C-alpha cells in the first residue's frame, strides 16, 4: 500500500526513533509563533475572507463560504407561512441534539420547564460524538481554575471574553462530577482517581478521558438521560428560520421535516441554539473531522434574526487529521496520541517541532514543513508528516495503545496499518469554529432577548484558538447554564404575536449582495466533487 518514497521515509523515521523519542524539541518563542501563524495559518489568508455588507457584523470579515450563507436566500417564502397554526408550543425550544443541546434540555427539564429538542439528524449526530481525547477540568491538587484560565487565555491569544472563560474554568470540576454521576465511564486508576493527561498548551495534566472515545461516551450518557426523562426529541427536523415576537424577542422557529419536507411551526417562550459547528463548509478546501451536519446553520438563522457574531473569522485546523489512506482523509487523529508520547516527524526523519504546542501553532508548523520547507511526505493526494506512534509504547510500555487509544488502533487497522509498529501520516483538518454567536455569561445572545446559545455555535469562550478538551467542557458548562437560564426566563415570559418580518427585512437589505446561495445549508452536497 505504501509508495516507495513512503517506505524510504519510514526507514529514516525508524532509524531516528530512539534519538527522537529522547529529544525534547524546544518550544517556539512568542515572536516565532507570531511570524509562523501570519505566514502559514489559514486564518491569515486574506483572500479567503469576505467583508459582510449586511447584518449586525457589517464591515467585518468572515470566510468567503460563510459570507455567502449569511447573506444568502431564506429557504422560506414568508408569505406562505401561517404562524397562527402552531404545531409545537413549549416553554423552552432547544435546537440541536448534540452535547450542548442535550445538557441544556436536561437542565431545563430539571427546572420544571416544558422543553423539546429539535434536531435535523438524530440526537447524538454531532461533533460531541466525534471528540476523542478528553475534557479539561482543574480538579487535581497541583492545579486550579486560575491556572486553567491562564493556559486557555494565553492559548487563545488573550482574546477570550474574560467572564465566559472564568465561568468555563470555575465550573469545570462540577461539570466532571455531574458527568461522572450521570454515568460517564471516565478512565480511573484502581482507587478511583481520574487518569489525566496533558494537551497542547496545558501546564498541568487535566485532560479527563474515556480512552479515545471521550465524546462518544459523554454523548451516550447524555442521550440516555434525555431519553430516560422522556424529553421530546423531534428528529430529522431542521430549524430553518427563527421566529421573533412583536417585541423582537426570540419566540420559536420555523421547522423543516427533512424527510417529508413539511413545514412546521414551533412557538416557545425561550429558544436555545445549540446547532454546533461548520466543518462541512470545508473552508479553503480543507477536509474535516466534523460530523455530516456541521454546516453553520445556527449562525445563519440567528444572524438573519439580528444576533451578533464574535470572531467568526477564526477557525481551528486540528494539526493531526489523517492524511493517508485516502478513505479516512481528514478524520481526527486525537491530540492524545501526542500527549502519550508520539512526535511529529518530517520526511527526513527529523522531529521538527515540540509535539504539544497549541493547535494553531502546530497546524501552521506542519503546513510550513509540507510547503516552503518541502519536508512533507507525498501521500498521493497531497502532503503529510509522520506521527510516530510506536514511540508511545517505547515510553508507556507494551499495551498502552490498545488500552489508551483503541479507537486510533482500530481506525488504522482497518487499512492494514498497525500504529503500534508503524508511524501514520497526518495533515491539518478543519476541526472547530472558534467564533460564533456573541453571548453574555448567562448564555443569552447579546442582542436578542430570550435567544440563548451554547456549544460550538458560540464565539468568544476560547478567544482566537481553543485548547484541546475545552470544547467538551464548554458544551457541558454552557449547555447546562443555557438550559437553566432559559427555563428561568421562560417563567417570566409571555410571548407576543409571532412574526417573520426580520426575514423579509434582511432579504431586502441583502438583495444586492446575495450570491443566490440558499441558507441554512443543512447538509453538505458532495455530488460532482
Ligand atoms: O477538544 C478537542 O477538540 C479534542 C478532544 C480533540 C482531540 O484531539 O481528541
Amino acid at each position: 500500500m505504501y509508495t516507495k518514497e513512503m517506505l524510504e521515509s519510514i526507514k529514516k523515521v525508524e532509524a531516528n526513533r530512539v534519538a527522537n523519542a529522547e529529544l525534547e524539541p524546544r518550544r517556539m518563542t512568542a515572536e516565532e509563533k507570531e511570524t509562523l501563524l501570519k505566514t502559514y495559518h489559514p486564518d491569515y489568508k486574506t483572500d479567503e475572507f469576505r467583508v459582510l455588507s449586511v447584518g449586525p457584523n457589517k464591515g467585518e470579515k468572515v470566510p468567503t463560504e460563510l459570507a455567502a450563507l449569511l447573506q444568502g436566500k431564506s429557504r422560506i417564502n414568508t408569505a406562505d407561512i401561517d404562524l397562527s397554526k402552531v404545531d409545537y408550543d413549549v416553554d423552552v425550544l432547544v435546537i440541536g441534539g448534540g452535547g450542548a443541546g442535550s445538557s441544556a434540555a436536561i437542565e431545563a427539564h430539571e427546572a420544571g420547564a416544558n422543553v423539546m429538542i429539535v434536531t435535523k439528524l438524530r440526537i447524538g449526530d454531532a461533533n460531541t460524538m466525534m471528540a476523542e481525547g478528553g475534557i479539561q477540568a482543574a480538579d487535581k491538587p497541583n492545579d486550579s481554575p486560575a491556572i486553567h484560565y491562564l493556559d486557555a487565555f494565553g492559548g487563545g491569544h488573550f482574546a477570550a471574553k474574560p467572564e465566559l472563560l472564568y465561568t468555563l474554568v470555575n465550573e469545570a470540576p462540577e461539570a466532571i462530577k455531574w458527568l461522572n454521576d450521570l454515568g460517564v465511564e471516565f478512565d480511573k486508576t484502581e482507587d478511583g482517581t481520574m487518569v489525566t493527561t496533558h494537551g497542547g498548551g496545558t501546564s498541568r495534566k487535566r485532560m479527563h478521558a474515556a480512552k479515545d472515545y471521550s465524546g462518544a461516551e459523554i454523548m451516550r450518557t447524555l442521550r440516555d438521560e434525555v431519553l430516560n426523562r422522556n424529553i421530546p426529541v423531534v428528529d430529522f427536523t431542521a430549524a430553518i428560520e427563527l421566529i421573533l415576537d412583536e417585541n423582537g424577542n426570540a419566540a420559536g422557529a420555523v421547522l423543516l421535516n427533512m424527510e417529508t419536507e413539511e413545514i412546521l411551526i414551533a412557538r416557545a417562550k425561550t429558544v436555545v441554539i445549540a446547532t454546533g459547528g461548520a466543518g462541512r463548509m470545508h473552508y479553503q478546501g480543507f477536509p474535516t473531522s466534523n460530523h455530516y451536519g456541521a454546516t453553520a446553520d445556527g449562525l445563519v438563522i440567528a444572524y438573519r434574526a439580528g444576533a451578533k457574531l464574535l470572531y467568526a473569522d477564526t477557525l481551528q485546523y486540528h494539526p493531526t487529521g489523517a492524511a493517508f489512506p485516502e478513505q479516512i482523509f481528514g478524520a481526527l487523529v486525537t491530540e492524545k496520541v501526542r500527549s502519550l508520547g508520539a512526535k511529529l516527524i518530517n520526511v527526513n526523519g527529523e522531529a521538527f517541532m515540540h509535539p504539544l504546542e497549541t493547535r494553531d501553532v502546530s497546524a501552521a508548523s506542519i503546513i510550513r514543513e509540507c510547503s516552503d520547507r518541502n519536508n512533507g511526505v507525498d501521500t498521493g493526494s497531497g502532503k503529510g508528516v509522520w506521527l510516530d506512534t510506536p514511540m508511545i509504547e517505547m515510553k508507556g510500555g507494551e499495551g498502552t495503545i490498545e488500552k489508551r487509544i483503541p479507537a486510533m488502533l482500530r481506525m488504522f487497522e482497518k487499512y492494514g496499518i498497525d500504529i503500534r509498529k508503524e508511524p501514520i501520516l497526518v495533515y491539518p483538518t478543519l476541526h472547530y469554529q472558534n467564533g460564533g454567536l456573541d453571548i453574555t455569561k448567562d448564555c443569552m445572545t447579546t442582542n436578542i432577548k430570550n435567544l440563548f446559545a451554547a456549544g460550538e455555535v458560540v464565539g468568544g469562550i476560547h478567544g482566537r484558538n481553543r485548547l484541546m478538551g475545552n470544547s467538551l467542557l464548554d458544551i457541558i458548562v454552557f449547555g447546562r447554564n443555557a438550559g437553566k437560564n432559559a427555563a428561568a426566563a421562560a417563567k417570566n415570559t409571555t410571548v407576543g404575536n409571532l412574526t417573520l418580518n426580520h426575514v423579509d427585512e434582511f432579504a431586502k437589505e441583502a438583495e444586492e449582495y446575495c450570491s443566490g446561495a440558499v441558507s441554512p445549508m443543512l447538509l453538505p452536497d458532495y455530488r460532482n466533487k
Side-chain angles (χ1 to χ4, degrees):
M1 175 168 67
Y2 287 127
T3 62
K4 200 165 149 255
E5 189 207 350
M6 287 177 188
L7 289 170
E8 277 165 14
S9 178
I10 289 178
K11 277 195 195 133
K12 293 180 190 160
V13 176
E14 286 172 345
N16 292 354
R17 183 166 290 143
V18 173
N20 279 336
E22 278 164 15
L23 193 80
E24 178 73 9
R26 81 171 173 84
R27 298 268 185 181
M28 287 178 222
T29 64
E31 291 72 32
E32 283 170 335
K33 287 182 195 176
E34 204 184 318
T35 309
L36 176 75
L37 290 172
K38 285 195 174 142
T39 320
Y40 296 100
H41 194 279
D43 276 0
Y44 291 85
K45 284 197 163 184
T46 46
D47 53 349
E48 297 284 353
F49 293 82
R50 198 167 129 197
V51 172
L52 291 170
S53 305
V54 285
N57 291 76
K58 186 174 170 173
E60 292 178 25
K61 69 179 172 85
V62 299
T64 305
E65 301 86 340
L66 180 61
L69 295 189
L70 290 174
Q71 301 182 154
K73 260 176 74 166
S74 174
R75 288 182 167 270
I76 56 168
N77 180 353
T78 56
D80 298 340
I81 308 290
D82 181 1
L83 291 175
S84 68
K85 191 192 133 298
V86 172
D87 298 280
Y88 303 101
D89 205 353
V90 293
D91 294 335
V92 180
L93 174 68
V94 176
I95 305 172
S102 300
S103 301
I106 292 166
E107 289 293 0
H109 185 260
E110 183 68 21
N114 167 14
V115 54
M116 177 178 95
I117 296 178
V118 288
T119 175
K120 70 180 170 187
L121 294 167
R122 300 161 303 178
I123 183 169
D125 287 332
N127 282 346
T128 301
M129 198 67 152
M130 319 288 284
E132 295 170 351
I135 171 168
Q136 288 203 42
D139 56 6
K140 291 279 170 85
N142 70 340
D143 202 359
S144 72
I147 301 175
H148 188 177
Y149 186 102
L150 291 176
D151 287 349
F153 201 48
H157 301 280
F158 308 99
K161 276 179 100 167
E163 66 276 26
L164 299 186
L165 188 53
Y166 180 89
T167 304
L168 182 82
V169 299
N170 278 291
E171 295 184 15
E174 161 57 22
I176 298 289
K177 183 176 180 311
W178 186 68
L179 290 172
N180 189 61
D181 292 349
L182 283 180
V184 171
E185 303 249 9
F186 285 112
D187 297 340
K188 293 177 187 151
T189 57
E190 270 177 20
D191 68 0
T193 308
M194 297 260 184
V195 177
T196 51
T197 50
H198 271 299
T202 63
S203 61
R204 298 290 186 277
K205 292 184 177 176
R206 70 171 77 90
M207 204 72 57
H208 303 62
K211 303 191 186 300
D212 50 352
Y213 297 107
S214 308
E217 172 59 8
I218 289 172
M219 194 65 241
R220 174 194 72 76
T221 309
L222 294 174
R223 181 173 48 197
D224 280 359
E225 185 65 18
V226 167
L227 300 180
N228 287 341
R229 285 171 177 259
N230 291 319
I231 296 171
V233 180
V234 183
D235 56 13
F236 295 111
T237 301
I240 54 173
E241 289 299 349
L242 287 176
I243 298 172
L244 301 180
D245 73 3
E246 60 199 323
N247 307 310
N249 301 338
V254 178
L255 309 177
L256 170 73
N257 182 311
M258 302 282 283
E259 291 170 314
T260 63
E261 299 196 350
E262 190 185 358
I263 295 283
L264 300 155
I265 303 298
R267 177 168 58 196
K269 292 179 179 160
T270 58
V271 177
V272 179
I273 296 200
T275 47
R280 293 284 160 176
M281 301 284 290
H282 295 288
Y283 298 132
Q284 303 189 30
F286 272 82
T288 185
S289 57
N290 282 190
H291 87 109
Y292 191 56
T295 50
D297 302 349
L299 300 188
V300 172
I301 59 174
Y303 194 70
R304 215 172 258 156
K308 217 170 157 323
L309 307 176
L310 184 64
Y311 305 145
D313 60 332
T314 158
L315 282 305
Q316 179 162 88
Y317 298 83
H318 194 292
T320 59
F324 182 87
E326 212 173 11
Q327 294 93 322
I328 51 169
F329 188 48
L332 182 61
V333 173
T334 175
E335 194 163 314
K336 191 170 175 186
V337 172
R338 281 173 285 140
S339 308
L340 293 175
K343 294 207 172 100
L344 291 158
I345 311 288
N346 68 21
V347 70
N348 304 315
E350 296 153 348
F352 60 92
M353 60 170 287
H354 191 286
L356 288 176
E357 293 283 9
T358 54
R359 282 189 177 162
D360 51 354
V361 170
S362 304
S365 177
I366 293 170
I367 292 171
R368 174 175 64 184
E369 208 62 19
C370 291
S371 54
D372 288 1
R373 287 192 173 168
N374 205 17
N375 282 336
V377 180
D378 204 330
T379 63
S381 48
K383 294 272 180 185
V385 295
W386 297 109
L387 184 54
D388 199 9
T389 44
M391 283 183 182
I392 294 174
E393 304 216 329
M394 283 171 65
K395 188 176 168 197
E398 205 178 323
T400 306
I401 287 181
E402 169 82 71
K403 189 166 168 213
R404 307 288 301 276
I405 47 170
M408 293 298 96
L409 182 64
R410 286 189 194 119
M411 179 161 86
F412 284 92
E413 219 167 42
K414 280 190 195 152
Y415 303 100
I417 297 170
D418 184 344
I419 69 170
R420 293 168 295 199
K421 303 195 176 97
E422 302 158 82
I424 55 181
L425 281 167
V426 294
Y427 191 79
T429 184
L430 181 55
H431 184 61
Y432 186 77
Q433 64 184 9
N434 298 315
L437 299 174
D438 192 7
I439 60 165
T440 64
K441 76 175 173 31
D442 302 324
C443 302
M444 205 191 284
T445 53
T446 49
N447 54 345
I448 303 185
K449 194 170 165 215
N450 290 343
L451 181 62
F452 294 79
E456 194 171 340
V457 77
V458 168
I461 301 171
H462 311 282
R464 293 190 160 271
N465 176 61
R466 176 179 65 79
L467 301 187
M468 171 194 186
N470 274 350
S471 172
L472 279 179
L473 176 60
D474 90 45
I475 61 169
I476 304 301
V477 168
F478 291 96
R480 293 182 71 193
N481 289 346
K484 287 178 198 171
N485 295 333
K491 283 192 182 139
N492 303 318
T493 297
T494 308
V495 179
N497 291 327
L498 303 186
T499 166
L500 287 168
N501 284 348
H502 58 282
V503 177
D504 293 332
E505 281 158 18
F506 190 94
K508 214 163 136 204
E509 207 187 325
E511 203 171 4
E512 71 176 284
Y513 310 101
C514 182
S515 61
V518 174
S519 61
M521 183 191 265
L522 304 184
L523 294 174
D525 185 357
Y526 291 114
R527 288 169 297 183
N528 308 321
K529 286 216 171 125

